[in-house]
Amino acid sequence: MQTKYLAKIFVTLRPSVLDPAGVAVQSGLQQLGYDNVDQVRIGKYIELTITSTEEKKARQDLDRICDQMLANPVIENYRFELIEVETQTGVF
Amino acid sequence: MQTKYLAKIFVTLRPSVLDPAGVAVQSGLQQLGYDNVDQVRIGKYIELTITSTEEKKARQDLDRICDQMLANPVIENYRFELIEVETQTGVF
């Protein structure tokens, strides 16, 4: 039995890492008059579907995928949520 | 009374818009052996703090900020969550 999961993955810079893009956005917002905005940090939001026989296996795959490809573990953190979208029975 | 909110903003490509970066990541994952991954879409995840007298005002500001600076409304959708982090009384 295969289950399809929707994964919502958040990749954010570690708090100790400088975020020049965030600083630029904050500066731009201040020029537009939004001086009530602070601490802008820009990360990545990735959605994908992953098919697996069990949720534990899907989570293990996602951990490896994030470490190898989606995040740079030296400067970035990641977390993800899994939502079951479809279960299929039968031979694949 | 001023309240500080943490805003978590998600900017995603509209479903009808092609995502070349997502296609590239999916192709890379397949080369790494992850052929159970599909429909990769890459967006932005932005965190910022916004200070306002009321939540409604903070939401209005954020709508304008997203339209003007964080998202391109022609090809991107956005949504955000607000979390109250601090309330301060007194004169500002």
Side-chain angles (χ1 to χ4, degrees):
Chain A
M1 198 173 74
Q2 296 271 332
T3 306
K4 186 190 271 190
Y5 299 93
L6 171 65
K8 299 182 172 192
I9 303 163
F10 307 81
V11 179
T12 50
L13 282 171
R14 288 180 186 271
S16 58
V17 177
L18 194 71
D19 178 6
V23 172
V25 165
Q26 188 175 332
S27 154
L29 288 174
Q30 266 163 8
Q31 283 171 36
L32 290 175
Y34 297 104
D35 47 11
N36 55 342
V37 172
D38 209 358
Q39 294 169 285
V40 182
R41 304 282 288 178
I42 298 182
K44 281 179 287 187
Y45 171 66
I46 299 146
E47 283 187 357
L48 55 81
T49 61
I50 183 164
T51 307
S52 195
T53 47
E54 50 176 335
E55 187 176 327
K56 194 181 161 194
K57 172 81 168 53
R59 288 187 180 276
Q60 285 172 347
D61 278 355
L62 276 173
D63 270 325
R64 276 198 299 264
I65 285 170
C66 288
D67 276 331
Q68 288 181 22
M69 195 150 211
L70 300 181
N72 176 350
V74 178
I75 57 167
E76 290 172 326
N77 291 323
Y78 67 83
R79 64 187 172 83
F80 55 78
E81 299 164 5
L82 274 191
I83 299 160
E84 192 175 320
V85 286
E86 203 182 306
T87 300
Q88 293 176 323
T89 51
V91 182
F92 284 85
Chain B
M1 197 173 79
Q2 296 269 333
T3 305
K4 187 190 268 189
Y5 301 92
L6 171 65
K8 301 183 172 192
I9 303 163
F10 306 82
V11 179
T12 49
L13 281 172
R14 289 178 184 270
S16 57
V17 177
L18 194 71
D19 179 5
V23 172
V25 165
Q26 187 175 332
S27 154
L29 288 174
Q30 266 162 8
Q31 283 170 37
L32 289 175
Y34 297 104
D35 48 10
N36 56 340
V37 172
D38 209 357
Q39 294 169 285
V40 182
R41 305 281 288 178
I42 297 181
K44 281 179 288 189
Y45 172 65
I46 299 146
E47 282 188 356
L48 54 82
T49 61
I50 183 164
T51 307
S52 194
T53 48
E54 49 176 334
E55 187 176 327
K56 194 182 160 194
K57 172 80 168 53
R59 288 187 180 274
Q60 285 172 347
D61 277 355
L62 276 173
D63 271 324
R64 276 198 299 265
I65 285 170
C66 288
D67 277 330
Q68 287 180 23
M69 196 149 208
L70 301 181
N72 176 351
V74 178
I75 56 167
E76 289 171 327
N77 292 322
Y78 66 84
R79 65 187 172 82
F80 55 80
E81 299 164 3
L82 274 192
I83 298 159
E84 192 176 319
V85 287
E86 202 180 308
T87 300
Q88 292 177 323
T89 52
V91 183
F92 285 85

